[in-house]
């Protein structure tokens, strides 16, 4: 069972800092430098001492920049140097040697060298730093303080490295270095090697419902047991948009009950899966169908049946809820011959999370799907219409945009609206359903659960649909629904299933790594605060 709902990962995302634009940094740097020069003249600071402190302060950004200019580009290197420029006027006002304005920056540089590059480059950085202290003739107090920080850092780094090594057999620091290089430069090769090491080979299904009219395919519903995660462009995060890009007809990417255990390990595997989905040939088999509905205290369930092909059940949360577990998808297909969709559209703090091990809760969901299947509300000829809107705000809705399907069975209209986002604000969901409610008998709202924006914005792991630009998203959704309904026509439905055999991330290891990551983040911040404390103590004594 999940130990912390990946809160260890979520908390670590919040410490990923986005710097302002380069021009803003340059302007700020010029202002701070001019201010410090003026103060040094007023306080009669030696030009030689100021120059030596400047040389010392330039060491961290120059080192980081020269090792890899793609990772520590000019903007990020300038961001490091600005730490010195912020501390310098404080040090001058206190009447201390200007070199103490660079101490926190230089100590922090070691942490960056180890975390982003490697332990070996961290060791080289440390040695060069000690040589520089001696060469520039700084006092022994600074040398001893630096050595004390190195000893504590070595101890903490050893502890950090051992945590994930014990759990997954891979180096914590190596994993962190590869991950941060990906975050800073987009290079995913090294981090994928680690993801593969914590993955296991599995076979997961992807179900394709293809709608045809007058001999032509008009749209698809793709129900994926491959989860679009873990974040940004890693793993299978980009699967919804890749499917949209290669599809010749409007396609609704629908998330089955799955979670991060069902993430693919590599981008290349994701591309293969998207290509297979788009290339799948599906023949129409059913021209009539039926529907059933049922509501529990947790879920509203709508089941669509099309002849002899597997039924399709939409599981709509009516309480704040995170991912439904894969076991729901597995059991529903095994016991009921029903493919399930996790609408994934209602998130806020204090959410409910049902785990694979909660057999009683899962059994209740399966029983509710069975009841919905038995509680038929309509049957008859099938009509269908599809539409898609190319819209992204680059914050809540990804490149796959908004896609809609209008399905009429025996004259009863079902409207499905899919958003390429990660979950949805409850208030926005209510507003959206209210706007669409007069267009169809049943409105079904889903999200793809794409993780391409996870960890991208500072301060939180992601923004749900409706949390940004709600009015614009609402209008786009209404237009999408109108277009789908306007294109309703007699249709036949075909079905096929793809079996994806590849390396998927190990859920048990992810749970444990998340807990270890929370501790590692804490210990990393401890080193940052230790560096700050040493800098302050050197000013006071």
């Amino acid at each position: 069972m999940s130990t912390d709902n990946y809160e260890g990962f979520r908390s670590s995302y919040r410490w990923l800092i986005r710097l302002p634009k380069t021009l803003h940094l340059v302007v700020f740097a010029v202002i701070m430098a001019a201010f410090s020069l003026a103060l040094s003249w007023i306080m009669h600071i030696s030009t030689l001492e100021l120059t030596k402190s400047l040389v010392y302060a330039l060491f961290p950004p120059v080192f980081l920049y020269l090792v890899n200019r793609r990772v520590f580009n000019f903007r990020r290197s300038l961001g490091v140097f600005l730490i010195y420029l912020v501390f310098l006027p404080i040090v001058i006002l206190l009447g201390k040697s200007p070199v103490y304005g660079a101490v926190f920056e230089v100590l922090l540089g070691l942490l960056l060298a180890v975390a982003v590059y490697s332990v070996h480059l961290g060791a080289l950085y440390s040695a060069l730093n000690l040589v520089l202290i001696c060469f520039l003739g700084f006092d022994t107090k600074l040398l001893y303080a630096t050595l004390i920080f190195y000893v504590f850092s070595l101890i903490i780094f050893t502890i950090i490295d051992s945590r994930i090594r014990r759990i997954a057999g891979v180096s914590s620091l190596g994993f962190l270095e590869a991950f941060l290089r990906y975050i800073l430069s987009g290079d995913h090769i090294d981090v994928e090697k680690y993801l593969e090491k914590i993955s296991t080979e599995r076979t997961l299904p992807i179900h394709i419902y293809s709608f045809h009219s007058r001999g032509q395919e008009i749209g698809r519903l793709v129900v994926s047991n491959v989860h679009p995660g873990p974040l940004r462009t890693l793993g299978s995060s980009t699967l919804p948009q890749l499917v949209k890009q290669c599809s010749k007809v409007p396609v609704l990417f629908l998330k089955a009950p799955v979670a991060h255990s069902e993430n693919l390990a590599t981008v290349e595997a994701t591309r293969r899966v998207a290509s297979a989905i788009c290339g799948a040939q599906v023949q129409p088999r059913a021209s009539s169908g039926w529907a059933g509905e049922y509501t529990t205290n947790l879920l509203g369930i709508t089941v669509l049946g099309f002849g002899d092909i597997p039924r399709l059940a939409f599981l709509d949360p009516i309480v704040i809820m995170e991912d439904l577990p894969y076991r729901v998808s597995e059991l529903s297909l095994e016991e009921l011959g029903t493919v399930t969709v996790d609408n994934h559209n209602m998130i806020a703090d204090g959410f409910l999370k049902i785990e694979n091990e909660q057999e009683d809760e899962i059994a209740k969901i399966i029983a509710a799907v069975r009841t919905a299947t038995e509680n038929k509300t309509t049957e008859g000829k099938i009509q269908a219409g599809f539409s898609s809107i190319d819209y992204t705000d680059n914050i809540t809705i990804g490149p796959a945009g908004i896609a809609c399907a209008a399905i009429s069975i025996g004259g009863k209209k079902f409207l499905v609206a899919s958003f390429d986002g990660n979950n949805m604000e409850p208030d926005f969901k209510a507003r959206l359903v209210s706007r669409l409610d007069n267009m169809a008998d049943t409105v079904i709202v889903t999200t793809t659960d794409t993780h391409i924006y996870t960890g991208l914005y500072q301060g939180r792991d992601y923004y749900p649909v409706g949390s940004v630009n709600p009015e614009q998203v609402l209008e786009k959704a209404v237009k999408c629904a109108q277009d789908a309904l306007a294109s309703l026509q007699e249709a036949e439905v075909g079905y096929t299933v793809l079996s994806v055999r590849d390396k998927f991330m190990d859920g048990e290891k992810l749970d444990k790594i998340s807990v270890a990551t929370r501790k590692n983040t804490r210990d990393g911040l401890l080193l940052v605060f230790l560096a700050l404390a040493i800098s302050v103590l050197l000013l006071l004594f």
Side-chain angles (χ1 to χ4, degrees), residues 3-67:
T3 48
D4 71 343
N5 288 319
Y6 303 123
E7 184 56 36
F9 295 137
R10 291 188 173 98
S11 62
S12 66
Y13 297 156
R14 294 172 190 138
W15 292 100
L16 296 176
I17 297 172
R18 297 189 71 182
L19 292 172
K21 294 179 179 179
T22 303
L23 179 60
H24 297 166
L25 291 177
V26 170
V27 170
F28 183 67
V30 170
I31 292 172
M32 293 303 297
F35 180 55
S36 296
L37 282 173
L39 276 180
S40 67
W41 180 76
I42 294 170
M43 300 294 292
H44 305 291
I45 300 296
S46 163
T47 303
L48 177 61
E49 289 300 309
L50 192 62
T51 302
K52 287 164 64 175
S53 77
L54 177 62
V55 171
Y56 191 53
L58 283 171
F59 166 61
V62 169
F63 179 92
L64 296 169
Y65 177 78
L66 291 177
V67 170

Side-chain angles (χ1 to χ4, degrees), residues 509-522:
K509 287 181 180 177
L510 282 175
D511 291 334
K512 293 177 180 178
I513 290 172
S514 179
V515 175
T517 298
R518 183 200 291 262
K519 295 176 181 177
N520 288 347
T521 301
R522 177 202 64 197

Side-chain angles (χ1 to χ4, degrees), residues 55-278:
V55 171
Y56 191 53
L58 283 171
F59 166 61
V62 169
F63 179 92
L64 296 169
Y65 177 78
L66 291 177
V67 170
N68 192 325
R69 298 177 189 182
R70 285 186 62 208
V71 174
F72 269 92
N73 54 26
F74 175 75
R75 181 167 67 102
R76 295 183 183 123
S77 300
L78 179 58
V80 173
F81 183 66
L82 279 173
I83 298 172
Y84 163 71
L85 292 179
V86 169
F87 272 80
L88 183 58
I90 299 171
V91 173
I92 292 174
L93 285 171
L94 291 173
K96 300 291 185 178
S97 172
V99 68
Y100 293 123
V103 173
F104 179 58
E105 176 212 3
V106 174
L107 295 181
L108 190 62
L110 169 63
L111 304 185
L112 292 173
V114 172
V116 177
Y117 293 138
S118 70
V119 173
H120 298 100
L121 285 171
L124 175 61
Y125 177 97
S126 302
L128 291 175
N129 181 29
L130 294 175
V131 169
L132 195 58
I133 290 173
C134 297
F135 177 77
L136 293 174
F138 296 137
D139 59 39
T140 55
K141 186 169 62 172
L142 175 58
L143 178 64
Y144 293 149
T146 301
L147 288 171
I148 290 171
F149 181 74
Y150 286 175
V151 170
F152 274 97
S153 296
L154 179 61
I155 294 169
I156 297 298
F157 283 145
T158 302
I159 293 170
I160 287 174
D161 193 60
S162 66
R163 285 197 179 107
I164 295 179
R165 193 182 293 277
R166 287 196 304 267
I167 295 166
V170 297
S171 164
S172 291
L173 290 175
F175 208 152
L176 176 64
E177 291 155 8
F179 174 74
L180 289 179
R181 281 198 299 275
Y182 163 73
I183 293 296
L184 296 173
S185 71
D187 183 2
H188 58 83
I189 302 301
D190 288 340
V191 72
E192 281 187 350
K193 291 177 182 177
Y194 281 96
L195 292 176
E196 286 189 286
K197 289 177 182 178
I198 63 168
S199 297
T200 56
E201 194 168 90
R202 297 170 63 188
T203 301
L204 297 178
I206 293 180
H207 307 273
I208 301 174
Y209 293 80
S210 175
F211 290 75
H212 297 249
S213 182
R214 300 183 184 91
Q216 297 292 322
E217 187 177 35
I218 60 172
R220 287 185 172 188
L221 306 180
V222 174
V223 185
S224 175
N225 279 276
V226 176
H227 181 263
L231 82 161
R232 300 197 183 183
T233 59
L234 287 179
S236 39
S237 298
T238 59
L239 185 57
Q241 69 196 64
L242 291 175
V243 172
K244 162 75 183 284
Q245 290 167 8
C246 67
S247 180
K248 297 177 181 178
V249 296
V251 56
L252 278 70
F253 185 96
L254 305 171
K255 170 189 177 295
V258 290
H260 286 276
S261 300
E262 287 73 48
N263 290 332
L264 282 165
T266 68
V267 173
E268 184 56 38
T270 304
R271 293 193 183 110
R272 290 197 301 268
V273 171
S275 179
I277 291 171
C278 291

Side-chain angles (χ1 to χ4, degrees), residues 216-444:
Q216 297 292 322
E217 187 177 35
I218 60 172
R220 287 185 172 188
L221 306 180
V222 174
V223 185
S224 175
N225 279 276
V226 176
H227 181 263
L231 82 161
R232 300 197 183 183
T233 59
L234 287 179
S236 39
S237 298
T238 59
L239 185 57
Q241 69 196 64
L242 291 175
V243 172
K244 162 75 183 284
Q245 290 167 8
C246 67
S247 180
K248 297 177 181 178
V249 296
V251 56
L252 278 70
F253 185 96
L254 305 171
K255 170 189 177 295
V258 290
H260 286 276
S261 300
E262 287 73 48
N263 290 332
L264 282 165
T266 68
V267 173
E268 184 56 38
T270 304
R271 293 193 183 110
R272 290 197 301 268
V273 171
S275 179
I277 291 171
C278 291
Q281 300 297 312
V282 188
Q283 297 301 316
R285 289 163 52 180
S287 59
S288 61
W290 57 268
E293 297 177 271
Y294 183 67
T295 301
T296 72
N297 63 328
L298 297 180
L299 298 166
I301 301 171
T302 300
V303 179
L304 304 181
F306 308 109
D308 62 349
I309 64 181
R311 297 180 286 269
L312 182 60
F314 292 88
L315 309 182
D316 189 56
I318 57 177
V319 298
I320 296 166
M321 186 182 294
E322 251 293 7
D323 301 308
L324 288 169
Y326 176 69
R327 191 64 178 146
V328 171
S329 177
E330 195 173 41
L331 282 179
S332 179
L333 192 60
E334 288 177 1
E335 297 184 8
L336 306 177
T338 300
V339 174
T340 46
V341 175
D342 177 3
N343 289 1
H344 201 252
N345 60 18
M346 204 164 176
I347 193 67
D349 291 338
F351 58 80
L352 172 67
K353 182 77 162 65
I354 299 173
E355 303 292 347
N356 277 311
E357 294 81 2
Q358 293 178 263
E359 296 179 1
D360 290 345
E361 292 299 323
I362 292 173
K364 291 176 184 177
I365 295 173
I366 301 302
V369 174
R370 180 182 285 109
T371 301
T373 302
E374 296 167 350
N375 186 30
K376 292 183 179 179
T377 57
T378 187
E379 56 184 320
K381 288 291 183 179
I382 299 169
Q383 290 184 310
F386 287 79
S387 69
S388 63
I389 301 288
D390 290 327
Y391 168 78
T392 175
D393 57 14
N394 296 310
I395 302 173
T396 66
I397 296 181
I402 305 170
C404 297
I407 302 170
S408 175
I409 301 177
K412 184 171 184 177
K413 294 178 182 177
F414 298 84
L415 179 62
V416 186
S418 172
F419 298 79
D420 189 28
N422 188 346
N423 227 307
M424 185 175 286
E425 289 275 351
D427 290 345
F428 178 78
K429 176 188 175 181
R431 289 183 61 200
L432 176 62
V433 172
S434 177
R435 282 288 298 272
L436 301 180
D437 210 29
N438 62 345
M439 299 184 187
D441 297 286
T442 299
V443 174
I444 299 168

